[in-house]
Amino acid sequence: MDQQSEDQTAEPSRPAQATGHAAKGMAAAQRRISGLSGKLLLLTIVFVMLAEVFIYVPSVANYRNTWLTDRLTTAGVAASVLSETNTIAPRLQEELLRTTGALAIALVEGERRSLIAMSSLPQDIGMVIDMRDETPMRAIADSFAILLGSGEGLMRVIGKGPMSGGRGIEQVDIVLPIELLRQDMLGFSGRILALSLFISGLTAALVYVALRALFVRPLQRLTRAMQVFAENPEASGQLLQDSLRGDEIGDAERRFAEMQDTLARTLHQKQRLADLGLAVSKINHDLRNLLASAQLFIERLENVPDPTVRRLAPKILSTLDRAVTYTQAVMAYGKAQEATPSRRLVRLARVAADVGELLSLAEHPMIAYEIAIDPALEIDADPEQIFRVLLNLVRNAMQALEANTDEALVCRIKVSAERIDRGVVIHVADTGPGIPPAVRANLFRAFQSAARSGGTGLGLAIASELARAHGGSVRLEEAGVGATFRIDWPDRAL
């Protein structure tokens, strides 16, 4: 019973599965019809049929002229031969009329007009066609008038007569039913239509196969590769193999492969930076706690009566305060961006001196630190942020100079500034080896501008961001010797 019930339960799923396959097949067919392949096929058929229309118009006129000329020739030759006997038997007249399809045949010779054969008295001549002065446009117009007409009535056709027995027959007249010509022209049009459809179908099929192989399939392959890459952009390896084509499709494939590699590397780098940011945040959290503990110890040392301790303790405490502030800034940087500047009027020379004091440049055995700033020069800036800008630039210069220990080299860092119209221009110059050309393109991008081994590449990025927050900028100047950075620092807008 259980097995039977399971079979009965599973049975309805088979039609549903078949219906699903049928639906997928219909959807795929609709995509092919409405897709590029179907459009190409339809356009090819339309264009070929349009070309056939332009071919058909003169063809049907030529068919009509040939049809009329053949009957005029047949009637003229037969009538001229029969007229030699001066008497034509009724049986021969009937045969001549049946062969040409005419109702009456007449010959004009000089001033004499001879009725050669007639089945009945022609009446209601609705159309006269003179083949002796027929033009192409008139032939086309008359042809479509016959095709689109009802076919009722008779037409008189006039043509040039043949030579007979040394005497010339000037004119041949025949009277024909319009319906006879119309039916033959309709048959010709049907054959032309069938041939056009066959040629259109064959041409469209060949064009469809060729274009599908040359363009549609490579585009589908490229689209599938894009879809797979979009689903998993970090996957290693190329999703699209180079087809070695030298045309635009091959160029698109190569460009996509290059883009894929570039994006994969970029995403991998972004992931590494995200992991690095998480690690830095964790380390920074613990470091901030350690610095807070160090502050407590230094505050206790301030009560020690030793003069040296009393002199150095406030500076160490100030340095620790700045370090705590920086750890908080690192945490904020990982979340969003630098804090909004709290601008004050600051003595720039004092800030530059604090930077040198923090880096111990006054006691440095190799590097000379020069401050060429008017002590009265004031800058409109956030005190901590302008300090960080100068600190990063001066520290980078110091590290570049310390990389070479040759005592014969001149090692000097110079900070200068001058006030211009509603702003201050600051220069931080050194006599080091300068910035390598390969690094300059990414000089102010985070984690990418470290020219020194072991550097993080954050100093210039931070300095540039802080300057932009004040509406200014930091850029490298071509000074010839060493590296010179120019800081444009505008005052607040009024």
Side-chain angles (χ1 to χ4, degrees):
M1 291 293 293
D2 293 341
Q3 181 65 34
Q4 184 178 0
S5 63
E6 289 178 2
D7 293 341
Q8 291 176 354
T9 304
E11 188 65 27
S13 65
R14 295 178 182 175
Q17 185 176 6
T19 304
H21 288 310
K24 291 181 179 179
M26 292 178 62
Q30 290 177 354
R31 283 196 300 270
R32 284 194 295 269
I33 293 174
S34 61
L36 185 59
S37 301
K39 293 176 182 176
L40 289 174
L41 181 63
L42 179 61
L43 287 175
T44 303
I45 294 176
V46 170
F47 290 153
V48 173
M49 290 299 295
L50 186 61
E52 290 294 338
V53 168
F54 288 111
I55 296 174
Y56 167 74
V57 170
S59 297
V60 71
N62 183 66
Y63 176 82
R64 170 251 194 198
N65 291 344
T66 303
W67 190 92
L68 294 175
T69 302
D70 289 345
R71 275 152 181 78
L72 284 172
T73 302
T74 301
V77 172
S80 63
V81 173
L82 293 175
S83 65
E84 293 291 336
T85 61
N86 296 321
T87 59
I88 303 176
R91 185 179 59 79
L92 294 177
Q93 292 184 20
E94 293 177 1
E95 182 67 21
L96 178 59
L97 294 175
R98 186 186 63 81
T99 302
T100 58
L103 299 179
I105 301 175
L107 299 180
V108 176
E109 182 180 0
E111 297 295 330
R112 191 179 72 168
R113 183 182 184 88
S114 303
L115 183 62
I116 302 300
M118 182 176 65
S119 61
S120 62
L121 184 62
Q123 296 178 355
D124 299 329
I125 301 297
M127 181 181 295
V128 177
I129 302 175
D130 192 345
M131 299 298 295
R132 294 172 300 180
D133 59 352
E134 192 75 0
T135 62
M137 294 305 299
R138 185 184 303 169
I140 292 174
D142 290 346
S143 298
F144 280 94
I146 294 173
L147 280 173
L148 301 177
S150 62
E152 297 178 356
L154 303 176
M155 60 180 175
R156 178 189 175 192
V157 184
I158 304 172
K160 186 177 180 181
M163 297 296 294
S164 176
R167 58 194 182 98
I169 299 176
E170 298 176 1
Q171 178 179 313
V172 177
D173 285 6
I174 60 175
V175 177
L176 296 165
I178 296 177
E179 181 64 21
L180 183 63
L181 174 59
R182 182 173 180 271
Q183 289 299 325
D184 284 352
M185 290 176 65
L186 288 175
F188 172 77
S189 300
R191 293 190 296 273
I192 288 291
L193 177 61
L195 181 62
S196 300
L197 289 175
F198 173 75
I199 294 175
S200 299
L202 179 61
T203 305
L206 294 175
V207 171
Y208 173 80
V209 172
L211 293 180
R212 185 171 177 81
L214 290 175
F215 301 107
V216 178
R217 286 186 182 275
L219 287 176
Q220 291 175 342
R221 192 162 61 98
L222 188 61
T223 303
R224 285 194 297 270
M226 290 180 180
Q227 182 179 359
V228 173
F229 181 70
E231 293 173 355
N232 187 13
E234 297 183 7
S236 59
Q238 289 191 359
L239 300 175
L240 186 67
Q241 299 298 325
D242 191 358
S243 61
L244 302 180
R245 294 178 56 154
D247 54 8
E248 289 80 359
I249 297 293
D251 185 58
E253 292 175 347
R254 286 185 289 273
R255 297 295 182 185
F256 173 74
E258 293 174 1
M259 181 197 69
Q260 174 192 337
D261 293 338
T262 302
L263 285 178
R265 288 195 302 268
T266 302
L267 290 174
H268 182 65
Q269 183 182 19
K270 296 291 185 183
Q271 184 60 44
R272 291 184 62 185
L273 292 178
D275 295 339
L276 176 61
L278 179 60
V280 168
S281 298
K282 293 178 180 179
I283 296 172
N284 192 71
H285 179 271
D286 295 336
L287 181 60
R288 187 175 57 180
N289 293 333
L290 294 175
L291 291 174
S293 300
Q295 282 180 309
L296 295 176
F297 297 148
I298 296 299
E299 288 175 357
R300 293 180 183 178
L301 288 177
E302 287 182 323
N303 299 323
V304 176
D306 189 300
T308 304
V309 174
R310 285 179 175 272
R311 182 172 59 86
L312 295 179
K315 295 183 178 181
I316 297 175
L317 188 60
S318 176
T319 302
L320 289 176
D321 287 338
R322 278 202 174 99
V324 172
T325 302
Y326 292 164
T327 58
Q328 293 173 350
V330 170
M331 297 294 289
Y333 184 85
K335 294 178 182 178
Q337 58 184 5
E338 293 285 351
T340 303
S342 177
R343 303 180 73 150
R344 302 283 300 276
L345 286 178
V346 182
R347 292 186 179 87
L348 186 59
R350 181 65 261 176
V351 176
D354 290 345
V355 169
E357 187 175 343
L358 179 63
L359 297 177
S360 301
L361 287 173
E363 298 85 13
H364 201 286
M366 295 174 51
I367 301 174
Y369 183 59
E370 295 183 9
I371 300 176
I373 302 175
D374 186 350
L377 179 62
E378 298 176 350
I379 187 170
D380 182 18
D382 185 302
E384 287 299 323
Q385 292 188 2
I386 187 62
F387 177 86
R388 291 172 62 192
V389 171
L390 292 179
L391 177 63
N392 282 304
L393 294 176
V394 173
R395 181 191 288 118
N396 282 356
M398 184 179 72
Q399 292 171 349
L401 292 171
E402 289 177 340
N404 197 321
T405 58
D406 189 351
E407 296 181 357
L409 295 176
V410 175
C411 298
R412 181 173 58 248
I413 300 174
K414 182 177 180 180
V415 181
S416 59
E418 61 179 343
R419 173 160 287 281
I420 58 173
D421 185 24
R422 301 211 46 82
V424 175
V425 176
I426 308 170
H427 288 90
V428 178
D430 64 68
T431 58
I435 306 297
V439 180
R440 295 182 183 181
N442 299 316
L443 195 58
F444 297 99
R445 296 181 63 183
F447 303 106
Q448 297 190 33
S449 60
R452 182 181 57 85
S453 176
T456 61
L458 282 173
L460 292 177
I462 293 173
S464 178
E465 182 178 352
L466 294 175
R468 287 198 306 271
H470 289 77
S473 63
V474 180
R475 68 176 186 269
L476 177 67
E477 284 192 342
E478 297 292 340
V481 177
T484 300
F485 286 91
R486 170 173 173 152
I487 308 169
D488 290 292
W489 202 279
D491 296 335
R492 275 176 289 188
L494 297 178

